[in-house]
Amino acid sequence: NAGVTQTPKFRVLKTGQSMTLLCAQDMNHEYMYWYRQDPGMGLRLIHYSVGEGTTAKGEVPDGYNVSRLKKQNFLLGLESAAPSQTSVYFCASSYWGTGIDEQFFGPGTRLTVL
Amino acid sequence: EDKVVQSPLSLVVHEGDTVTLNCSYEVTNFRSLLWYKQEKKAPTFLFMLTSSGIEKKSGRLSSILDKKELFSILNITATQTGDSAVYLCAVVISSGSARQLTFGSGTQLTVLP
């Protein structure tokens, strides 16, 4: 099992450009999440999904959009990148079940917006 | 607003020392508390705590939750250089059918040889 994978690993954008980050999981998890991590701020939730075809806003959703067309994939889009979106982005997934709250994280995408 | 606060922000110790990392929280709809270790890459899961006063142990690491006082501690005994990492505390909150994590800012632990 590959677990949670993310593509790309690194990306440099110019202000105003758009891009899509792809997250894939092979654990048949219902829940998927996108986080950003900035120095000294831990991880902050951008958007999440509780199942195929559903999405919801997290703590810092502005400037991002997401889609979950297939259960195993969760896409994060930046329509018009801004320097404030320079960050490390982590995708995570978790099982929907009693007593299991662990989230499994992907390796991260380091995004720089110039 | 849900809040998770970790202390200290950073800690430098020597191999063999014992450390205690703190996590306090103020959240609605508490479900569980998780500890993760992050070494310049994805966080890796350490413990999940749901009940007060029950210690979870894994080798030299242990953790306990106090739901009355709203905090958890992570202990590491006989520290090794490989324990150097950021330790993240996260509280799982029930939100309708969803579960969300609110993370603290982490404790940067450096273990010197």
Side-chain angles (χ1 to χ4, degrees):
Chain A
N1 285 352
V4 180
T5 59
Q6 292 181 231
T7 53
K9 290 185 171 52
F10 303 93
R11 187 72 187 267
V12 178
L13 290 178
K14 294 181 179 178
T15 297
Q17 288 185 317
S18 64
M19 77 163 294
T20 299
L21 282 68
L22 171 63
C23 176
Q25 53 94 5
D26 61 2
M27 296 174 282
N28 202 34
H29 284 167
E30 291 290 339
Y31 294 156
M32 294 188 76
Y33 306 81
W34 276 107
Y35 295 92
R36 59 177 289 171
Q37 186 174 34
D38 302 298
M41 295 191 72
L43 282 82
R44 292 183 292 168
L45 182 64
I46 304 171
H47 286 280
Y48 64 97
S49 169
V50 301
E52 183 178 320
T54 74
T55 63
K57 294 180 180 180
E59 179 187 354
V60 289
D62 293 342
Y64 306 95
N65 56 76
V66 289
S67 64
R68 182 113 180 256
L69 300 179
K70 294 182 179 180
K71 185 177 182 179
Q72 63 268 34
N73 296 336
F74 195 28
L75 278 65
L76 177 71
L78 287 73
E79 290 185 349
S80 179
S84 60
Q85 293 177 305
T86 294
S87 188
V88 180
Y89 292 85
F90 287 101
C91 176
S93 69
S94 66
Y95 173 69
W96 184 86
T98 303
I100 304 173
D101 290 340
E102 175 188 354
Q103 290 191 3
F104 295 81
F105 286 83
T109 295
R110 184 173 295 274
L111 174 67
T112 302
V113 183
L114 303 175
Chain B
E1 183 182 337
D2 296 324
K3 189 164 56 174
V4 178
V5 178
Q6 291 187 245
S7 64
L9 292 181
S10 65
L11 193 54
V12 180
V13 300
H14 286 92
E15 272 192 318
D17 288 348
T18 293
V19 298
T20 298
L21 310 183
N22 305 292
C23 175
S24 63
Y25 61 91
E26 290 180 37
V27 302
T28 54
N29 299 320
F30 175 93
R31 178 181 164 88
S32 64
L33 186 144
L34 310 180
W35 282 97
Y36 283 87
K37 178 182 181 182
Q38 186 176 25
E39 298 171 271
K40 296 191 185 301
K41 49 187 179 182
T44 54
F45 175 76
L46 294 175
F47 298 113
M48 174 177 135
L49 303 157
T50 56
S51 302
S52 263
I54 297 176
E55 186 181 48
K56 292 283 185 82
K57 290 198 73 170
S58 177
R60 296 176 293 103
L61 279 65
S62 64
S63 184
I64 197 161
L65 173 68
D66 185 328
K67 290 173 75 173
K68 181 179 178 184
E69 299 298 328
L70 308 182
F71 76 91
S72 173
I73 60 172
L74 175 68
N75 281 320
I76 308 175
T77 59
T79 52
Q80 303 171 357
T81 54
D83 295 327
S84 295
V86 174
Y87 290 84
L88 296 167
C89 169
V91 174
V92 183
I93 301 157
S94 294
S95 177
S97 62
R99 298 170 201 169
Q100 296 186 41
L101 265 61
T102 298
F103 281 85
S105 55
T107 293
Q108 172 73 62
L109 174 64
T110 303
V111 182
L112 302 175

